[in-house]
Amino acid sequence: MMKVVALISGGKDSCYNMMQCVAAGHRIVALANLRPANADELDSYMYQTVGHQAIELYAEAMDLPLYRRTIQGSSLDTSRNYSETAGDEVEDLYELLHLVKEKEGVEAVSVGAILSDYQRVRVENVCLRLGLQPLAYLWRQDQETLLSEMISSDLYALLIKVAAFGLDPEKHLGKPLADMKPYLKQLSQKYGVHICGEGGEYETFTLDCPLFQRKIVIDAAETVIHSADAFAPVGYLRFTEMHTESKDADVVARALPHGSCPCQSAIDKMTEEVEYADQAEDNQQEFTSNCDLSCQWGHDLPPSCSPRSSRGYQWICGINGLQSQEPGIQGQTWAAFTKLQSELDTRGWKMKDIILVHLYVSCMEDFVPLNTVYKKHFGKNPPARVCVQAPLPAGQWLQLDCLLHDWTEPLEEGCFHQREALHVQSLSHWAPANIGPYSQALRVDQLVFCAGQIALVPCTMQLVKAGTRTQAHLSFSYVKKVLEAVISNLTLAHVVQAHCYTTRHQDIPIIRAIWESMLRTTEEEKDLLWEPEIKPSPLLVVVVHALPKGAAVELHVTAIQDDPTKRTSCHMTTKVACGSIECHTVMSADMCSASLSLSLAVPSDNLEVTGVKEAVGATFKKAMKKMDAELVPLCARVFYKCNHSLAQQIVKG
């Protein structure tokens, strides 16, 4: 449980998020509000200011201290990623929350953001600087469902501002939200109006909810027409007289929210779907393994670097900290970053150019101390990352493989590039916040590089108490949500490369079945019509010793915004003396990105190695030729059973 200050605007969202905080077991100890310097200021990018006249009554209604500050700054830094800027209105929020933390000892901040990255990023920036945890339980929830939940939870709010086609100040101001719901749904279906008002279509003021000890009553208000536009007039209510009234004590006690957690509801549904599939398997277990994965680089070999591609990508692999004079993981992590910085300097790169990190550790118990050093080397939007435990050489505690990117060609007139990070740090019911210094995804133009996802419960950040089926389903669903958050129409069908790490070999069929099921669901939902010869990207499954938090499954994907039904794919099977080689290739519709996977399947009793290495090389060349594109291989990772004699012979060869 955390002591929470609630940022309130008077609107439904900030109020309902307070209710969610209480339902999650936290305690609201104070309220905070920023008011406009001038009466009825409507120009803030960050804050709802309409209805500010009645905010003082919130303290009385909830019997809590209210901290207010007048907005002195303006919207100076309006970029996607906010940086501390003197004179910006965000700094008013910093000063306000700094005061509340000093006075009330709060640990977390309730914020009612639903869809606004602009608002979320700025609140998270302030919270990070103050050491506070943002709680945004409404973040990216389905808006129609959310509106229904608000109304059914006895949250009583009025429309106090309208600014959208179909909303008339003379007709709709002052109407209860519950009465407006059918009409708002109609506007949403006809004109794309955000049903929760996330596009600024309308604003509300909450007069009563289960957390209120007393309800707010508006005695008098006047309608102000801010803009008499013929199609979408903007108008709002100015409250002139108001008071609070007592509520029946028994009603208040009964009405406190004890509803089920949306995260747990989703998990329960997944568990119900699989409970008859394999009950013996799907129980909570300790997920560790002897694993297949090996990273035997040998002692202190120099890093390996790929050529820099024409599109500006380069891999630098095999970064370790063996040169460290200090024993332990933190000393080696510092040494590894020193070596990495040297490699970057030699090649004209900067740390900010890293977009994806493959992190291998010899012991997952080092995860937390490693992160304390790791996070010091990246700014507010660190690269995406996937972390697994692997049998590194004796004395080596970690290894870093880094993908870097910067554009090599100057932009043509009228063109632009996009590089954006999705770095959600708020606790929510959407998907897990980051448990380390990494972003959920990095976007470079149409390519999206996702971090590894494990089955954490988003609102608690604890590993779900379930077996492999549920963990796989949950992890895959988080990847799906992350892709949608980066590019709205991106789905699992847009994945061009998918790696799944697991800790038990016997779970591989279960994991593959869930992946294929989710792909089929995506195809049905999006009505994708695949050509017979085109197949979605295969899922590559690797068995490792351990995953963060003791997870059973971690999914890591790269996706591209294209038409997946226009891709080129190829599947080849080559027989060799000891078994067979399976080869899958997938190339994007624009023919600029591709993935290629090779797997060698060998019966356990067959140790014939003759010609295998040559056959693997020949299959690779044949697959490259079939793709018929001017693509340059950037990075190859070989996963093999480190205790298998044939695998060791092939690797040595």
Side-chain angles (χ1 to χ4, degrees), residues 3 6 29 115 185 247 304 410 457 593 611:
K3 294 170 68 177
V29 299
L115 205 56
K185 183 177 179 180
K247 294 166 62 175
S304 170
V457 180
S593 303

Side-chain angles (χ1 to χ4, degrees), residues 254-320:
R254 287 201 319 267
L256 284 172
H258 298 293
S260 64
C261 164
C263 299
Q264 193 58 52
S265 298
I267 292 163
D268 290 345
K269 184 180 179 184
M270 290 178 191
T271 307
E272 287 169 13
E273 289 171 355
V274 301
E275 71 174 319
Y276 299 112
D278 190 348
Q279 290 185 355
E281 173 275 327
D282 207 27
N283 294 318
Q284 188 182 15
Q285 306 155 39
E286 186 67 28
F287 291 101
T288 57
S289 167
N290 291 328
C291 98
D292 294 356
L293 176 62
S294 183
C295 296
Q296 303 291 340
W297 277 80
H299 278 270
D300 217 11
L301 290 173
S304 170
C305 299
S306 73
R308 188 165 176 173
S309 76
S310 60
R311 298 173 70 198
Y313 292 95
Q314 184 174 35
W315 277 95
I316 299 179
C317 301
I319 300 289
N320 62 55

Side-chain angles (χ1 to χ4, degrees), residues 133-432:
Q133 174 62 59
L135 304 174
Y137 292 116
L138 314 188
W139 179 247
R140 295 196 74 87
Q141 287 198 38
D142 177 78
Q143 291 191 41
E144 185 176 341
T145 303
L146 187 58
L147 186 63
S148 296
E149 288 176 358
M150 289 179 183
I151 293 166
S152 64
S153 298
D154 295 326
L155 185 149
Y156 183 74
L158 305 177
L159 266 65
I160 60 165
K161 177 188 169 187
V162 295
F165 184 75
L167 290 175
D168 186 338
E170 300 297 337
K171 288 182 182 177
H172 300 125
L173 287 177
K175 288 285 185 71
L177 186 62
D179 294 353
M180 287 294 295
K181 182 191 166 189
Y183 186 61
L184 291 171
K185 183 177 179 180
Q186 185 181 334
L187 290 180
S188 175
Q189 292 170 342
K190 278 189 175 181
Y191 308 118
V193 168
H194 290 257
I195 196 167
C196 276
E198 276 298 285
E201 294 91 342
Y202 69 91
E203 290 178 4
T204 59
F205 193 88
T206 304
L207 300 179
D208 193 14
C209 84
L211 299 182
F212 285 13
Q213 305 295 313
R214 299 171 64 85
K215 62 184 178 182
I216 298 171
V217 178
I218 305 301
D219 300 306
E222 57 187 24
T223 299
V224 179
I225 303 300
H226 181 71
S227 169
D229 185 272
F231 298 101
V234 178
Y236 61 92
L237 287 181
R238 180 186 291 137
F239 300 144
T240 54
E241 293 181 37
M242 63 221 94
H243 71 280
T244 64
E245 286 182 1
S246 60
K247 294 166 62 175
D248 187 308
D250 186 47
V251 170
V252 173
R254 287 201 319 267
L256 284 172
H258 298 293
S260 64
C261 164
C263 299
Q264 193 58 52
S265 298
I267 292 163
D268 290 345
K269 184 180 179 184
M270 290 178 191
T271 307
E272 287 169 13
E273 289 171 355
V274 301
E275 71 174 319
Y276 299 112
D278 190 348
Q279 290 185 355
E281 173 275 327
D282 207 27
N283 294 318
Q284 188 182 15
Q285 306 155 39
E286 186 67 28
F287 291 101
T288 57
S289 167
N290 291 328
C291 98
D292 294 356
L293 176 62
S294 183
C295 296
Q296 303 291 340
W297 277 80
H299 278 270
D300 217 11
L301 290 173
S304 170
C305 299
S306 73
R308 188 165 176 173
S309 76
S310 60
R311 298 173 70 198
Y313 292 95
Q314 184 174 35
W315 277 95
I316 299 179
C317 301
I319 300 289
N320 62 55
L322 284 168
Q323 69 275 28
S324 172
Q325 301 301 309
E326 298 178 26
I329 185 63
Q330 291 193 330
Q332 285 206 10
T333 306
W334 279 110
F337 273 97
T338 300
K339 179 183 282 189
L340 175 59
Q341 187 64 64
S342 174
E343 293 293 329
L344 298 180
D345 292 342
T346 300
R347 292 167 176 78
W349 290 104
K350 294 182 173 59
M351 202 70 77
K352 67 178 181 61
D353 296 324
I354 301 174
I355 58 175
L356 176 65
V357 175
H358 291 157
L359 173 61
Y360 305 96
V361 295
S362 62
C363 178
M364 197 53 73
E365 291 178 4
D366 291 334
F367 187 76
V368 173
L370 181 154
N371 276 333
T372 61
V373 177
Y374 185 101
K375 69 182 180 183
K376 297 179 187 296
H377 293 84
F378 296 105
K380 57 193 171 189
N381 287 320
R385 189 180 78 181
V386 58
C387 178
V388 301
Q389 180 176 318
L392 299 172
Q396 182 178 329
W397 307 127
L398 80 157
Q399 178 176 306
L400 299 167
D401 297 346
C402 302
L403 176 61
L404 300 104
H405 177 268
D406 196 10
W407 289 280
T408 55
E409 301 290 335
L411 274 174
E412 296 179 11
E413 189 176 348
C415 298
F416 66 94
H417 285 307
Q418 276 186 287
R419 175 171 166 156
E420 298 170 353
L422 180 70
H423 188 209
V424 180
Q425 300 167 79
S426 302
L427 293 187
S428 68
H429 296 310
W430 167 68

